[in-house]
Amino acid sequence: MNSITLHVTDEIIEKIKSFYQDFIIKSNNQYVLFTAKTANCVITAYTTNKVLFQGKNAEEEASIWMALTDSNFYLTSIGSDEVGTGDYFGPVVVVSCYLSDEKKELLQKLHIRDSKELSDNVIQKIAPILFKELPYSLLVVNNEKYNELTIDERMNLNQLKAKLHKQAIQHLLKKINTKPPIIVDEFTSKENFAKYTNDPLFTSQLIFAMKAESKYASVACASIMARYKFLLELANLSNKLGITLHKGTNDIVEEQAIQLVKKHGSDILRKVAKVHFKTTNSILKKANSVY
């Protein structure tokens, strides 16, 4: 059984208790503040301010709170993250941003964490502040360019992401005139990153971390900023098409794509979608079109 123990403040214990309120079970242990039991994890908070996570999802559940307890979370660093690679409609957005020591208090007030844990409304409130306060580099690969690279030039997704992260990070380094640690979410191995970018020296300077956006504030900020820009781009596409495009890849997205093909022809997908997704074949068949 997996188990992880965190030592937290009274304030964080209350946040954890509130978060798992619907899963709390009775405990007769006098040293236990509360116990919560989810499908794959048991969370126990003790009077010693220790919280124990046990079970199959212990690491995943604990990672939600590590950001609040780990001093490395606010490490002065460059964080780089991408958004949109799992969405059928819309571009891929990469943001690299620099978190300096003087901005840590601001991020604490904003309760910064991984964008996947935040609603679109919250992101739309926080991101403009981050764009104003943090040095950053932003890259947007629209659908036409994305399809050119992945289909016509046969570039795989990890290769594309590696090249984009390298470009964004290098642009940012020129702006800040300092060389802090550089953290990238580990979407591929360091060896592959070096191969994809053809730059082992640059790659050797990077720190690769699994779920980096939940472990480092700089990456979390990059994630939020990239998601915000993605939402703006998706809204612009929606306005042009006269339809509110949905995020992700699901039945609603597929139905929207079918209707777009029926109305505009199959070429529309290269302009608004990621054509290499497997769902494209199904969409074209149902729309009685040939791509």
Side-chain angles (χ1 to χ4, degrees), residues 80-136:
S80 194
D81 202 8
E82 81 285 334
V83 166
T85 57
D87 298 276
Y88 188 62
F89 293 126
V92 169
V93 181
V94 173
V95 170
S96 296
C97 68
Y98 172 54
L99 171 60
S100 62
D101 188 66
E102 64 182 15
K103 298 298 181 180
K104 293 178 185 178
E105 186 176 346
L106 169 67
L107 300 196
Q108 288 171 334
K109 291 179 180 178
L110 293 175
H111 303 293
I112 293 298
R113 59 186 188 277
D114 177 15
S115 70
K116 290 187 289 294
E117 300 175 12
L118 302 174
S119 69
D120 289 349
N121 286 338
V122 172
I123 286 174
Q124 288 164 349
K125 292 178 181 177
I126 293 176
I129 300 173
L130 299 180
F131 275 112
K132 180 180 178 182
E133 296 290 340
L134 303 181
Y136 67 90

Side-chain angles (χ1 to χ4, degrees), residues 200-211:
L201 180 60
F202 172 80
T203 305
S204 68
Q205 304 171 53
L206 306 180
I207 298 170
F208 290 82
M210 294 292 290
K211 298 181 179 179

Side-chain angles (χ1 to χ4, degrees), residues 231-275:
L231 292 173
L232 290 179
E233 293 293 324
L234 194 64
N236 287 336
L237 271 180
S238 296
N239 289 334
K240 291 178 182 178
L241 295 168
I243 180 175
T244 302
L245 297 173
H246 282 250
K247 301 189 297 293
T249 305
N250 51 48
D251 291 342
I252 296 175
V253 168
E254 183 171 319
E255 182 57 34
Q256 287 188 317
I258 291 169
Q259 296 307 315
L260 287 172
V261 171
K262 286 182 176 180
K263 183 176 181 179
H264 301 283
S266 59
D267 286 346
I268 189 64
L269 294 183
R270 285 191 74 111
K271 299 177 181 179
V272 302
K274 301 176 181 73
V275 179

